[in-house]
Amino acid sequence: GIQHGGPDPMLQSSGLPSQQDMYPPPNNLPPHVLSELDQVSSGLMVPQLHPSADLMAPHPVLSRIQTHVPSPHGLEDPPGLSEKVELLLSEWVRSYHHPMMVKDMDQIYIVFVNKLQQQGIMKNDDLITRFFRISVEMCVGLCYKSMTEPENQRLARAKCYHTMDAFVKLVAVLMRFTGEPTNIQPKVNVLQKVIYTVAQVLLQDHQTRGSDFHQLPYQRFFIMLLTELNARDPVFELMSLHVLSIYSQVYHELRPAKAPGFAYAWLELISHRIFIEKVLIQTPQPKGWLYLQQLLVDLFTFLAPFLRNADLERPLQILYKGSVSIRAFLSYSLVSRHAPCPAGVATRLPRVPV
């Protein structure tokens, strides 16, 4: 299979977040918001935060909250690399959507991975990281282009998904064919590289575009890759705990305080059925709950300053209502036989103001 060097130290999983890394739960929330959980049905499931069409449009109220992301370093690409990646990505998208893909799937995968090796893309960690970054930037660019064309939103989303879903499948293929089937560390390294590369592109895009930033392509990437990694595949099943760790860490890096324009999509991602299932059911406790605790602290730390104002603007009202719903769902799970919260963790979950 494809062989790689070791993981980038910046991307290496550090396991559970340390207490020093965790923000203390907000304790200065106004008293008028402390009763809504009692009014929410105990059987509430994790909700859809808002109609999917909302992700098609930027939200200036959230996007204009100032954040700063350092510019990436060392991204001057070798001459011709961008053109090479564009040709390879275009060829892969055509192959992915070709009717023969279902019949000759494994053979198509092997041929394309060999082509990446022949083109030098898999030569070292730096080149494959650049390949991921350029591919993501192209997929996102095509999404922006489709969303600005005078067509209906459904067609615009379909165009966006056409390329992004193919890229996600390519990532899954590269993970599967990297290293030996039973050696998961090289596969985890690939996942770390692509996840953190997408996060870096997202933060840079968020800073550059401001109120014109779109959440849709990034949300699609994270959801579809998580779906791929949740498939009944022996290789990916061995990686389950690593997947949760990497996703939890990158969601922390993309928290609303750092990317407020991504807040709607972020809340939907941390409350997604597959992610919640991994946290509450598939992961030995208390590890899963501690990951989720960190993300809830991220959420309510961001919301706390706005909740001092009873007259929230509508985008923040929507975000707040979604936050209350997910906290209510988790409160229900505290007494559930299926996902009991370990002793001590429940008391550290942030209280939800109303």
Side-chain angles (χ1 to χ4, degrees):
I2 304 166
Q3 298 294 336
H4 276 278
D8 187 326
M10 292 183 64
L11 306 181
Q12 213 160 7
S13 172
S14 58
L16 288 172
S18 67
Q19 290 298 321
Q20 292 80 3
D21 292 335
M22 287 187 174
Y23 295 125
N27 55 13
N28 57 349
L29 297 169
H32 75 279
V33 269
L34 297 178
S35 62
E36 186 169 345
L37 276 180
D38 296 331
Q39 303 169 20
V40 180
S41 167
S42 63
L44 182 67
M45 297 300 290
V46 176
Q48 283 295 109
L49 180 59
H50 49 77
S52 59
D54 284 3
L55 287 175
M56 296 293 293
H59 288 280
V61 173
L62 297 177
S63 298
R64 69 171 178 249
I65 299 169
Q66 295 301 309
T67 60
H68 176 69
V69 180
S71 298
H73 299 290
L75 294 183
E76 296 76 14
D77 297 313
L81 180 62
S82 181
E83 291 78 8
K84 181 186 293 186
V85 172
E86 182 176 8
L87 289 173
L88 288 167
L89 185 61
S90 298
E91 179 180 343
W92 170 257
V93 172
R94 288 193 299 271
S95 298
Y96 175 76
H97 291 288
H98 194 279
M100 294 298 292
M101 171 61 93
V102 176
K103 182 179 178 181
D104 299 321
M105 191 179 303
D106 288 343
Q107 184 61 31
I108 291 174
Y109 292 166
I110 293 170
V111 169
F112 191 79
V113 170
N114 287 336
K115 180 168 290 188
L116 290 178
Q117 290 178 312
Q118 293 166 6
Q119 294 290 325
I121 297 297
M122 316 302 291
K123 185 177 181 181
N124 54 49
D125 289 348
D126 178 66
L127 278 174
I128 192 170
T129 300
R130 291 175 188 272
F131 172 77
F132 286 147
R133 176 183 54 78
I134 295 170
S135 297
V136 171
E137 290 173 344
M138 288 179 175
C139 291
V140 170
L142 288 170
C143 286
Y144 274 101
K145 184 176 184 295
S146 68
M147 288 184 284
T148 56
E149 293 175 350
E151 298 170 336
N152 65 63
Q153 292 186 346
R154 179 176 296 180
L155 183 57
R157 284 196 297 272
K159 287 184 175 181
C160 179
Y161 299 163
H162 182 83
T163 305
M164 185 60 79
D165 291 0
F167 173 66
V168 166
K169 188 66 176 182
L170 177 58
V171 171
V173 168
L174 291 176
M175 289 172 59
R176 184 179 288 112
F177 282 90
T178 296
E180 299 301 321
T182 57
N183 183 7
I184 65 170
Q185 190 55 53
K187 306 174 193 303
V188 171
N189 295 345
V190 172
L191 177 61
Q192 287 179 313
K193 289 180 192 303
V194 70
I195 286 279
Y196 278 89
T197 297
V198 172
Q200 183 183 52
V201 172
L202 186 159
L203 292 171
Q204 191 66 30
D205 187 23
H206 182 276
Q207 178 179 314
T208 302
R209 294 183 185 269
S211 61
D212 293 326
F213 172 81
H214 277 284
Q215 308 171 80
L216 179 67
Y218 303 102
Q219 186 205 37
R220 183 71 174 185
F221 169 83
F222 286 114
I223 286 179
M224 294 306 294
L225 183 57
L226 187 61
T227 302
E228 284 282 344
L229 298 177
N230 198 54
R232 291 187 177 277
D233 184 304
V235 173
F236 294 153
E237 287 174 357
L238 291 173
M239 295 176 56
S240 181
L241 294 182
H242 294 279
V243 171
L244 176 62
S245 172
I246 293 168
Y247 262 78
S248 298
Q249 290 174 50
V250 82
Y251 286 167
H252 173 60
E253 290 301 315
L254 297 175
R255 59 192 179 273
K258 289 189 70 172
F262 188 61
Y264 281 5
W266 184 89
L267 184 56
E268 288 192 344
L269 290 172
I270 70 166
S271 62
H272 191 272
R273 175 185 57 81
I274 295 176
F275 184 73
I276 291 292
E277 184 179 277
K278 282 188 175 294
V279 168
L280 300 184
I281 299 175
Q282 298 179 8
T283 304
Q285 301 304 335
K287 184 178 291 187
W289 270 103
L290 289 173
Y291 283 133
L292 194 56
Q293 175 193 329
Q294 172 67 81
L295 297 174
L296 290 175
V297 170
D298 291 339
L299 173 60
F300 291 109
T301 299
F302 172 75
L303 280 174
F306 301 104
L307 295 177
R308 300 189 188 102
N309 178 9
D311 186 22
L312 294 176
E313 296 188 62
R314 185 174 180 275
L316 287 166
Q317 289 178 10
I318 296 172
L319 184 65
Y320 168 67
K321 289 179 181 178
S323 304
V324 169
S325 296
I326 185 175
R327 182 60 175 85
F329 171 79
L330 293 173
S331 294
Y332 169 69
S333 74
L334 295 180
V335 296
S336 168
R337 301 178 190 176
H338 304 293
C341 183
V345 174
T347 60
R348 297 195 295 270
L349 291 178
R351 296 186 69 187
V352 179
V354 182

